[in-house]
Amino acid sequence: MTKDKNEEILVEDEPEEDECGTHVEFDIATYPSDLTLAVIHEMWKNEDITIPSFQRNFVWKIKQSSLLIESFLLGLPVPQVFFYIDNESRNLVIDGQQRIMSVIYFLEGYFGTENMQGRRAVFRLTGLSEKSPYAKKRFIDLSSQDQRRIKGAVLRAVNIKQLAPANQSTSMYHIFERLNTGGTPLRPQEIRNCIFHGPLVERLQELNEDANWRTILASKPRDKHQRDVEMILRIFAMTERGSAYEKPMKEFLNQQMHIHDGSKISPKVEQFVKGFSTVTDVIRKELNPKPFHIRGPLNLAAMDSIMAVLIQNSGKIPKDIAIRFKNLTENDDYRKFIFFNTSDASAVKERLYLAERHLIL
């Protein structure tokens, strides 16, 4: 159990299975393509290349980008990039954003995005050796020969496309997770947030701001790795598909995001949002503070089962819910399923069953 007192929530340890590599089988087509920088620029303008919002912002300094451009001009090798080909045949960048955007910026003549005043910095090759013939030059300052050289330089792309299963396109999550090894790796929910982009992400973020929810977590600061948002996703998944749960939990949550990955919010999401707000209000008013911190840290298994059952029955929560809650959390069978082997399918289904029997029936 770990906690950064300013940014992370203390959560009771669950079985290591949830943190280990997930075994999921996909039929994946992988093939290379050698693209000239002029073609990459054209694809960018036509929106055939997209930077998914799960990627961090462009962070390179102008010197790093300048050295990359010089490498192309000198014919030096440059690392390949990875594209994920989605169902609309768009090339989603899952590795190589800094290289691709450096090329785009140089060919356009401006570095980075607009500042607060709506201005962009002119892209002059910076930080090169004083003896370099390219030092301080913009693209338009290069000779015609060098302009053709840079536009004709090749950047290899590895293209990845999922062929099967057709109804479970979560491979992009696993591919990005394995490529995501440099710097400070993103955590699972950070990756999910916009790989499975859509209104669901916005709704989860909004629910994470719910004052009653923050009280239940006993944490005002938002978790820097989106662990609190993942908890809401887990509750949503258990509310909608708990009876069909299969381990590992990580893939179960990926599938939940995929099911609701669309441009329009589904009625089931709206129903969950409404029920979530109702239930967090009831829990804050009727139960003891920090109700899911059953033996110290927050117990996710207790939270997912109790909140899922209450949300499913948000219109008929008994008035004696506090007594029922106490009886449930003191029940020996229930405690077994929230403390041991909590990610096993049998444990998930049993604790949901016991929660419904004690809290609603």
Side-chain angles (χ1 to χ4, degrees), residues 23 33 43 51 70-71 81 101 148 187 266 298 325 353:
H23 178 70
S33 57
M43 292 173 68
I51 306 292
E70 185 186 40
S71 293
V81 298
M101 293 312 303
R148 287 192 294 271
R187 299 294 294 157
S266 72
L298 190 151
F325 176 85
Y353 165 74

Side-chain angles (χ1 to χ4, degrees), residues 106-361:
F106 185 67
L107 294 179
E108 291 182 347
Y110 296 94
F111 184 77
T113 56
E114 294 181 349
N115 61 18
M116 296 294 290
Q117 290 73 41
R119 298 176 180 176
R120 296 178 67 188
V122 173
F123 194 163
R124 295 182 182 276
L125 297 178
T126 303
L128 309 186
S129 167
E130 293 181 0
K131 296 180 180 180
S132 172
Y134 310 117
K136 304 298 183 183
K137 288 189 176 181
R138 301 169 294 172
F139 173 74
I140 61 173
D141 297 329
L142 296 176
S143 67
S144 297
Q145 180 181 2
D146 285 334
Q147 288 185 12
R148 287 192 294 271
R149 179 179 289 115
I150 191 70
K151 290 193 294 184
V154 170
L155 179 61
R156 169 155 289 201
V158 176
N159 304 285
I160 304 166
K161 184 175 179 63
Q162 179 176 323
L163 303 178
N167 63 345
Q168 186 184 328
S169 57
T170 61
S171 62
M172 187 174 176
Y173 175 94
H174 300 288
I175 294 165
F176 182 81
E177 183 181 41
R178 294 189 180 217
L179 290 173
N180 175 42
T181 56
T184 303
L186 299 180
R187 299 294 294 157
Q189 190 60 31
E190 293 178 285
I191 300 174
R192 287 188 196 105
N193 273 347
C194 278
I195 285 183
F196 308 111
H197 51 290
L200 174 59
V201 174
E202 296 176 8
R203 292 296 191 277
L204 294 176
Q205 298 287 350
E206 290 168 3
L207 291 179
N208 197 39
E209 299 296 324
D210 183 279
N212 293 323
W213 169 246
R214 303 313 307 179
T215 299
I216 292 168
L217 293 181
S219 173
K220 290 184 179 180
R222 309 309 180 251
D223 188 272
K224 65 181 180 180
H225 294 304
Q226 301 281 300
R227 189 75 185 277
D228 39 11
V229 174
E230 184 179 67
M231 292 177 194
I232 301 174
L233 173 63
R234 176 166 167 159
I235 294 166
F236 179 35
M238 291 298 175
T239 301
E240 183 178 348
R241 301 188 299 121
S243 61
Y245 168 81
E246 292 183 3
K247 62 190 302 186
M249 182 68 72
K250 183 186 293 185
E251 183 64 11
F252 182 65
L253 300 186
N254 291 345
Q255 292 170 6
Q256 186 69 12
M257 295 290 286
H258 171 61
I259 289 169
H260 297 281
D261 179 22
S263 59
K264 294 183 179 180
I265 202 73
S266 72
K268 288 185 177 180
V269 173
E270 293 290 18
Q271 184 178 358
F272 172 75
V273 169
K274 183 178 179 180
F276 182 89
S277 298
T278 298
V279 167
T280 54
D281 184 59
V282 169
I283 290 174
R284 184 187 63 82
K285 291 177 179 177
E286 302 295 335
L287 304 184
N288 293 327
K290 299 166 55 173
F292 302 117
H293 293 66
I294 294 177
R295 58 180 185 187
L298 190 151
N299 185 289
L300 288 176
M303 173 184 279
D304 71 26
S305 55
I306 291 170
M307 289 196 66
V309 165
L310 292 180
I311 290 170
Q312 289 171 340
N313 299 275
S314 59
K316 55 178 182 179
I317 298 176
K319 293 184 179 179
D320 61 343
I321 189 63
I323 296 174
R324 289 168 174 261
F325 176 85
K326 184 175 184 294
N327 291 337
L328 172 65
T329 54
E330 291 178 354
N331 178 274
D332 290 338
D333 288 336
Y334 182 73
R335 292 177 72 87
K336 178 175 67 174
F337 296 125
I338 65 172
F339 290 137
F340 305 103
N341 302 318
T342 56
S343 65
D344 285 353
S346 58
V348 169
K349 292 168 186 176
E350 286 297 329
R351 67 174 178 260
L352 286 169
Y353 165 74
L354 289 171
E356 183 177 28
R357 194 181 78 182
H358 281 78
L359 300 176
I360 303 298
L361 302 180

